[in-house]
Amino acid sequence: MSTIEIMRISVASDSLDGVASILISEIEERGHTVIPHGAVTDERADWAWCCSRAAEDVASGVADQAIVCCWTGTGASIAANKVPGVRAALCSDAATAAGARRWNDANVLAISLRLISAPLLEEILDAWFAASASLDEIDQANIAYLSEIEN
């Protein structure tokens, strides 16, 4: 029997386009608690502000992970990756999401509101939440090195 880890997930989106309107319910259906930012609240919704705020939740321990969104997902991932301790991965499919968790110990998932459909979002979230960081020495060394070179 496997156990599901219940987490606090910070969520940010700069608009309510695409899957943004269903993202919170998809996360909550998986049993997680959501901390919303940006267009899904009354906060400032510009991608740099709301996505960095979600990433700061992860870095400070307020959230276990975050999911950040913008039209392409690129700005969301850039903003999140500016926060020390954050490893944001822009993922457009389930295999990439699982790999980002496994090999990169990514703690922030960035997605494109333009490219991701509702069924694809489900696949990505399932893969993201099912995967965990690799215990392989080489993978762990790479993650440790990222902390060393962080500005």
Side-chain angles (χ1 to χ4, degrees), residues 4 37 49:
I4 297 172
H37 295 289
W49 278 265

Side-chain angles (χ1 to χ4, degrees), residues 24 76 80 117:
I24 290 176
S117 64

Side-chain angles (χ1 to χ4, degrees), residues 46 63 89 94 104 118 133 146:
D46 300 284
N104 311 125
L146 291 177

